[in-house]
């Protein structure tokens, strides 16, 4: 589909001109037709009369109202949500969102991996589906926009198409992926990468991933049946909040995502020797927490020791047994590394693991690492980036191409077909926190760019 998509993009531009109703577009078509007669260039067809209607736009107030409605599920006192995957709040929000899909004339079902999928038939039964959507699970004490904006906008786009009687050539699939925040579990199932070991991991809800999938209506023993292969989708689009501060700082309403970082997660265990905090001299201790403190500093030092956008975080720590009068004998930590280059993540990890061993030798402790999640980085498809930029331009919205430092289900979908992501500004770059905010007008702009990109993709991909 590569060349045809590139050619198609040009074709789509002329199609878009036909579709646009404003006087300028119409005049341009007339002039082109006159020029064609005079010069003998290929004839450009005039805009059919039935296309001369107001351009399609989503219902902005309805979309923002649905964001407010969704924020009730798992609402926390800080003003955000704690709607971790497989919690009661997650299950209730999923039921609500399936009702919203029905109101959008969609027929949602839960696939065997627990993703919510609604298919809308197209006119060409042989065409592969265009998939678009996001997620509605949150991190603990998260905000009301991460995942929600893309999920609700996808449903709003489908509803707008239904109301306007637009039937695309490709079938459309609106998807709400399950457990994005716990390691892209739902989208990884689609690419066949959820292992038995993953299923046994405990999620933030307290349930194992396997039990969690059962809890939301999937079947962890039949994940092979949801697996898709490269080429099984015509394309994937996801609208998302930026979660960083670039667009907000530069007053740019639309981000065109260049690529999504790869992510590695490890559980790190530091083992020392628990002993009496009053009677053990300072030079005879095997203090696991002191070694862990040095480890945290090591992660920061290693990641910042070379130029680039790589980031490294220790986000979780637990000291055992956890009493003021006991030297900690064991510490459990998390390590996370991110970059657009998978080889760099691996190199940083190797350095950290080697240096941690040195800290262990010097402090009479041992470090062990267990990898719990690895997501490959993914570049978006340059031609889809073009579609998104064109859609924004036709709405008079400025764009900026930027990388995503956050992980997204889109990086798995890039393995199945051409992928593109649209970003909208996050006020002050705050995300994964209750103060996360995207302004209502930015949400609506993003949804309209999603709608325009989707229609353009429908016209241009095979
Ligand atoms: C997902 O939001 C992530 O980047 O952790
Ligand atoms: Mn997200
Ligand atoms: Mn997130």
């Amino acid at each position: 589909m590569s060349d045809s998509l590139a050619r198609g993009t040009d074709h789509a531009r002329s199609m878009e001109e036909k579709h646009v109703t404003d006087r300028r577009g119409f005049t341009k078509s007339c002039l082109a037709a006159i020029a064609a007669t005079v010069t003998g260039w290929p004839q450009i067809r005039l805009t059919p009369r039935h296309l001369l209607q107001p351009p399609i736009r989503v219902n902005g107030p309805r979309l923002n109202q649905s964001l407010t409605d969704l924020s009730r599920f798992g609402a926390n006192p800080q003003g955000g949500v704690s709607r971790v995957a497989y919690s009661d709040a997650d299950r209730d929000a999923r039921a609500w969102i399936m009702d919203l899909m029905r109101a959008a004339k969609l027929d949602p079902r839960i696939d065997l991996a627990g993703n919510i999928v609604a298919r809308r038939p197209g006119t060409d039964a042989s065409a592969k589906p265009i998939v678009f959507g996001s997620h509605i699970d949150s991190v603990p004490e998260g905000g009301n926009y991460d995942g929600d904006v893309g999920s609700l906008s996808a449903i709003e786009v489908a509803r707008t198409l239904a109301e306007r009687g637009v039937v695309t050539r490709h079938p459309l699939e609106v998807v709400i992926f399950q457990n994005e925040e716990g390691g892209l579990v739902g989208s990884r199932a689609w690419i066949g990468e959820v292992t038995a070991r993953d299923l046994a991991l405990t999620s933030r809800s307290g349930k194992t991933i396997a039990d969690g999938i059962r809890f939301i209506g999937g079947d962890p023993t039949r994940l092979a049946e949801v697996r898709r292969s490269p080429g099984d989708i015509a394309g994937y689009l996801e609208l998302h909040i930026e979660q960083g501060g670039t667009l907000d700082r530069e007053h740019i309403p639309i981000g065109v995502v260049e690529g999504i970082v790869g992510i590695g997660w490890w559980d790190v265990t530091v083992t020392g020797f628990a002993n009496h905090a009053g009677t053990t001299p300072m030079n005879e201790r095997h203090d696991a927490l002191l070694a862990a403190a040095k480890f945290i500093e090591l992660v920061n030092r290693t990641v910042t020791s070379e130029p680039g956008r790589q980031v490294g975080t220790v986000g979780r720590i637990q000291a055992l047994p956890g009493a003021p009068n006991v030297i900690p004998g064991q510490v459990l930590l998390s390590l996370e590394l991110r970059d657009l280059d998978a080889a760099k993540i691996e190199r940083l990890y190797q350095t950290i693991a080697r240096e941690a061993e040195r800290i262990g030798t010097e402090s009479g402790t041992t470090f062990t690492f267990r990898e719990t999640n690895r997501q490959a980085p993914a570049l978006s498809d340059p031609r889809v980036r073009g579609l998104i930029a064109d859609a924004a331009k036709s709405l008079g919205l400025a764009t900026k191409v930027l990388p995503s430092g956050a992980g997204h289900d889109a990086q798995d979908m890039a393995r199945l077909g051409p992928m593109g992501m649209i970003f909208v500004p996050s006020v002050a770059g705050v995300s994964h926190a209750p103060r996360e905010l995207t302004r209502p007008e930015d949400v609506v702009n993003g949804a309209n760019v999603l709608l325009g990109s989707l229609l353009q993709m429908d016209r241009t991909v095979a």
Side-chain angles (χ1 to χ4, degrees):
M1 64 146 278
S2 40
D3 285 349
S4 72
L5 191 123
R7 273 198 307 277
T9 305
D10 293 331
H11 173 66
R13 283 200 190 98
S14 69
M15 288 292 288
E16 189 59 28
E17 273 167 18
K18 290 200 203 88
H19 200 88
V20 165
T21 56
D22 68 28
R23 187 176 295 277
R24 212 174 28 162
F26 183 76
T27 311
K28 223 166 156 182
S29 298
C30 292
L31 289 175
I34 293 163
T37 319
V38 174
T39 61
W41 291 338
Q43 187 93 22
I44 296 175
R45 270 177 293 133
L46 291 177
T47 307
R49 208 175 161 68
H50 72 280
L51 290 180
L52 289 175
Q53 51 178 298
I56 302 184
R57 299 279 188 275
V58 300
N59 181 329
R62 182 169 67 193
L63 171 57
N64 279 301
Q65 181 59 47
S66 67
L67 265 170
T68 305
D69 294 344
L70 178 57
S71 71
R72 284 185 285 125
F73 296 93
N76 62 32
Q78 298 87 356
V81 289
S82 291
R83 195 164 60 229
V84 298
Y86 320 135
S87 62
D88 289 353
D90 181 40
R91 183 197 50 201
D92 295 349
R94 287 163 53 90
W96 175 84
I97 214 150
M98 287 176 79
D99 282 343
L100 188 72
M101 286 170 138
R102 290 182 194 105
K105 302 270 182 294
L106 293 167
D107 185 18
R109 64 187 173 83
I110 297 172
D111 75 10
L112 288 163
N115 300 306
I116 298 172
V117 189
R119 197 174 167 100
R120 190 170 188 269
T123 55
D124 181 350
S126 68
K128 301 287 185 198
I130 296 177
V131 182
F132 59 115
S134 193
H135 66 97
I136 59 164
D137 63 302
S138 81
V139 291
E141 298 188 18
N144 286 310
Y145 298 84
D146 177 358
D148 302 352
V149 166
S151 299
L152 294 170
S153 295
I155 297 169
E156 176 57 38
V157 162
R159 193 167 185 169
T160 303
L161 294 178
E163 286 171 349
R164 294 291 295 266
V166 177
V167 181
T168 49
R169 184 169 78 76
H170 297 78
L172 302 181
E173 280 185 17
V174 178
V175 61
I176 311 298
F177 284 116
Q178 63 99 344
N179 200 357
E180 190 267 1
E181 298 290 4
L184 313 183
V185 180
S187 56
R188 271 197 299 135
W190 277 22
I191 59 168
E193 290 200 349
V194 176
T195 62
R197 201 189 62 154
D198 295 330
L199 290 173
L201 291 172
T202 304
S203 70
R204 291 304 303 232
S205 66
K207 299 177 184 69
T208 62
I209 302 279
D211 286 344
I213 290 175
R214 273 186 212 100
F215 180 72
I216 57 171
D219 182 346
T221 66
R222 296 177 58 193
L223 293 187
E225 294 175 47
V226 299
R227 183 177 183 161
R228 302 193 190 194
S229 303
D232 275 356
I233 67 173
Y236 179 77
L237 286 168
E238 182 167 349
L239 168 65
H240 205 280
I241 59 169
E242 183 199 339
Q243 304 183 272
T246 307
L247 296 176
D248 190 43
R249 200 168 39 245
E250 299 182 19
H251 305 290
I252 296 175
I254 296 294
V256 182
V257 175
E258 169 191 9
I260 305 170
V261 292
I263 304 178
W265 282 355
W266 292 263
D267 278 348
V268 185
T269 305
V270 192
T271 307
F273 187 77
N275 210 339
H276 198 294
T279 60
T280 313
M282 295 305 281
N283 63 352
E284 288 180 22
R285 296 176 176 219
H286 302 268
D287 185 335
L289 189 52
L290 185 60
K294 292 179 179 166
F295 175 80
I296 295 168
E297 194 276 331
L298 162 71
V299 170
N300 190 273
R301 183 159 33 86
T302 307
V303 171
T304 55
S305 66
E306 56 182 280
R309 298 184 66 118
Q310 66 279 358
V311 288
T313 307
V314 176
R316 195 182 66 229
I317 182 163
Q318 186 185 12
L320 301 171
N325 52 357
V326 183
I327 299 162
Q330 193 170 62
V331 172
L332 310 175
L333 301 159
S334 62
L335 167 65
E336 186 198 80
L337 297 171
R338 300 187 184 214
D339 194 70
L340 270 180
D341 176 2
K344 187 189 266 188
I345 294 177
E346 183 56 30
R347 184 164 47 72
L348 291 169
Y349 167 68
Q350 292 299 342
T351 305
I352 289 168
R354 196 176 54 244
E355 288 296 303
E357 201 175 314
R358 194 182 49 74
I359 294 171
T361 307
E362 287 170 7
S363 59
T365 61
T366 54
F367 280 78
T368 55
F369 293 81
R370 186 173 71 110
E371 186 179 302
T372 57
N373 182 24
R374 180 75 73 123
Q375 290 154 23
L379 292 179
S380 59
D381 188 297
R383 297 152 301 176
V384 182
R385 274 181 233 155
L387 298 182
I388 295 170
D390 284 353
K393 194 171 165 201
S394 74
L395 292 162
L397 300 169
T399 58
K400 181 181 178 97
V401 175
L402 75 180
S404 171
H408 298 286
D409 295 305
Q411 65 204 88
D412 291 335
M413 292 305 96
R415 305 261 293 273
L416 303 181
M419 173 278 282
M421 281 195 83
I422 302 154
F423 272 178
V424 284
S426 291
V427 173
V430 176
S431 185
H432 279 188
R435 281 188 43 231
E436 180 175 273
L437 175 66
T438 293
R439 294 184 187 90
E441 60 272 29
D442 287 326
V443 171
V444 176
N445 283 338
N448 279 320
V449 172
L450 175 66
L451 172 60
S453 309
L454 178 77
L455 292 174
Q456 194 82 318
M457 188 181 255
D458 181 50
R459 293 182 199 114
T460 54
V461 298

